Amino acid sequence: MEKKSNKYYLTLSLKEYANGDTKPAKELGIEFDNHDEIFGIIQRIKDKNIFESPSEATQFAIGLKLFSEIKLKHRNNPLFSELNEVFPIFMKKLKSL
């Protein structure tokens, strides 16, 4: 039986280049599944006040959830072999804050 997961659509828009140019505009949209309800996780990370701003907390939470879901799906990939040992420790530390 396949696990149920939440379905998301994420849009990333490049608003301004480092040199100040705004063109050419770039935008990327991706659909993805995640077993967690990411909006709740974003709020919990914000509530922990471990970053300087709510924006950083949101960036961290989104990046972590995107990364960790791929790592979980591909846990046997040699790319993740070292992380498989330390990632659970990191997650326990984060949840304990």
Side-chain angles (χ1 to χ4, degrees), residues 2-79:
E2 187 176 324
K3 271 187 165 180
K4 291 191 176 195
S5 58
N6 298 299
K7 299 190 180 310
Y8 293 93
Y9 187 85
L10 179 68
T11 303
L12 179 67
S13 301
L14 178 60
K15 295 298 182 186
E16 184 177 320
Y17 291 85
N19 66 5
D21 290 346
T22 57
K23 296 196 188 257
K26 291 185 181 178
E27 189 167 279
L28 168 72
I30 59 167
E31 290 184 30
F32 64 97
D33 297 339
N34 196 287
H35 70 277
D36 285 319
E37 198 284 294
I38 297 175
F39 291 99
I41 290 172
I42 290 169
Q43 190 58 54
R44 287 194 295 279
I45 297 293
K46 285 180 178 179
D47 292 345
K48 290 178 185 291
N49 291 317
I50 53 178
F51 298 103
E52 291 183 15
S53 71
S55 175
E56 286 182 345
T58 300
Q59 291 172 62
F60 173 78
I62 291 170
L64 179 65
K65 289 315 303 169
L66 290 172
F67 173 77
S68 63
E69 193 74 9
I70 294 298
K71 190 193 90 44
L72 185 63
K73 287 179 183 175
H74 299 280
R75 69 177 62 107
N76 295 325
N77 185 316
L79 176 64

